[in-house]
């Protein structure tokens, strides 16, 4: 295996919450991301899935250093980012871009598409003047927009077109790595497949590496090479796509997959849903032992006790955190 493009080691992002009366203030910690370790190979797409609030987006933001990690290391190739000085970080950031969920909120309504897409080229001193304009035209064409859109404003576009502008802006920085934070969740279902296909063809053309964050497992199945499942800030399972979808080992993954409709009507008729009881516990007070034990259909007495199950490789490339596979 080649050297990973991205390597995350024991990443933690804890947010302070102040509680109590002013003279009795105490600080508690929301453990949004709590000890993640994984890597992403060049040209690979890692899908990161889980219910909302499980820490997926915070993980993506912490990798790009848009969120300051509380602990742990993030490597981009050989460079450790959490301790990088600002100039070195700025250079690495050019190579790492983010596509946000909401194309309405992530575009400045007062800027034309030409200036939005040209801005990263100016910031990172990649091109200027006519060369910049030519490159913007080329990128607009690459993402399926017309060079005539150059002088238009975001409000003149549909949701799908706006997301293409967001993708064009990310490409303008000439990145190696893109974090897609639910990049199709806000789009009409009819448009979602087009944007997924676009992301796949751009990956082929430019050799991009993706962290694709989503709650929809059927979409991740189309795009991801490997899939990581998160719950309450921790990784529950990580495996290649085929192993994870055909032979999930963790009860939480099994429950998530049981909710995904199957296109084949015969198999769909036999699909058995696993309904999880209760709500996701607060990340302020995660359960001790296995953090999933309050909702796990297979819970055992040892699951309620520390230590929590270790996240470990149980088959080649297949990692899971569950006492059932001890
Ligand atoms: Fe369920 Fe126990 Fe496995 Fe946690 S360790 S997922 S509670 S069986």
């Amino acid at each position: 295996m080649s050297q990973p493009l991205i390597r995350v080691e024991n990443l933690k992002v804890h947010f302070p919450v102040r509680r109590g009366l002013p003279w009795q203030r105490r600080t508690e910690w929301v453990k949004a991301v709590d000890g993640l370790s994984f890597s992403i190979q060049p040209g690979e797409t890692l899908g990161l899935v889980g219910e909302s609030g499980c820490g997926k987006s915070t993980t993506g933001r912490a990798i790009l250093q848009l969120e300051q990690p509380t602990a742990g290391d993030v490597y981009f190739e050989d460079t450790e980012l959490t301790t990088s000085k600002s100039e070195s970080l700025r250079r690495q950031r050019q190579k790492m871009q983010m596509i946000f969920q909401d194309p309405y909120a992530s575009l400045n309504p007062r800027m034309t598409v030409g200036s939005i897409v040209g801005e990263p080229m100016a910031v990172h001193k990649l091109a200027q003047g006519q060369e910049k304009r030519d490159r913007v035209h080329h990128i607009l064409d690459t993402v399926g927009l017309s060079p005539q859109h150059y002088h238009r404003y975001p409000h003149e576009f549909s949701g799908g077109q706006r997301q293409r502008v967001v993708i064009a802006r990310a490409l303008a920085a000439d990145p190696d790595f893109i974090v897609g934070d639910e990049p199709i969740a806000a789009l009409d279902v009819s448009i979602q497949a087009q944007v997924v296909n676009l992301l796949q063809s751009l990956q082929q053309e430019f050799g991009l590496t993706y962290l694709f964050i989503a709650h929809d497992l059927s979409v991740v199945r189309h795009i991801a090479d490997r899939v990581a499942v998160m719950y309450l800030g921790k990784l529950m399972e990580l495996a290649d796509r085929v192993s994870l979808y055909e032979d999930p080992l963790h009860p939480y993954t099994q429950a998530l997959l049981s909710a995904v409709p199957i296109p084949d009507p015969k198999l769909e008729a036999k699909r058995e849903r696993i309904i999880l009881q209760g709500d996701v516990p607060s990340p302020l007070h995660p359960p001790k032992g296995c953090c999933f034990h309050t909702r796990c259909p297979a819970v055992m007495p040892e699951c309620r006790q520390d230590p929590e199950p270790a996240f470990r490789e149980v088959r080649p490339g297949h990692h899971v955190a569950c006492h059932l596979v001890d």
Side-chain angles (χ1 to χ4, degrees), residues 250-251 290 292-293 296 298-300 303 309 322-324:
H250 196 284
C290 171
F292 184 57
H293 84 249
C296 180
V299 61
M300 305 176 287
C303 306
C322 175
H323 291 314
L324 280 176

Side-chain angles (χ1 to χ4, degrees), residues 2-17:
S2 57
Q3 187 197 12
L5 186 73
I6 298 290
R7 190 154 50 90
V8 173
E9 288 182 0
N10 200 23
L11 181 69
K12 295 184 182 178
V13 185
H14 296 177
F15 296 111
V17 178

Side-chain angles (χ1 to χ4, degrees), residues 40-48 200 203-204 208-212 219-228 238-245 317:
I40 312 178
Q41 294 296 318
E44 184 186 38
T45 299
L46 178 69
L48 185 59
Q200 284 180 311
Q203 182 171 41
Q204 297 270 313
L208 296 168
T209 303
Y210 290 146
L211 176 65
F212 190 91
V219 171
V220 172
R221 186 173 202 159
H222 279 293
I223 196 165
D225 300 301
R226 288 186 302 143
V227 182
L238 170 63
D240 67 86
R241 177 184 51 192
V242 174
S243 306
L244 191 111
Y245 281 82

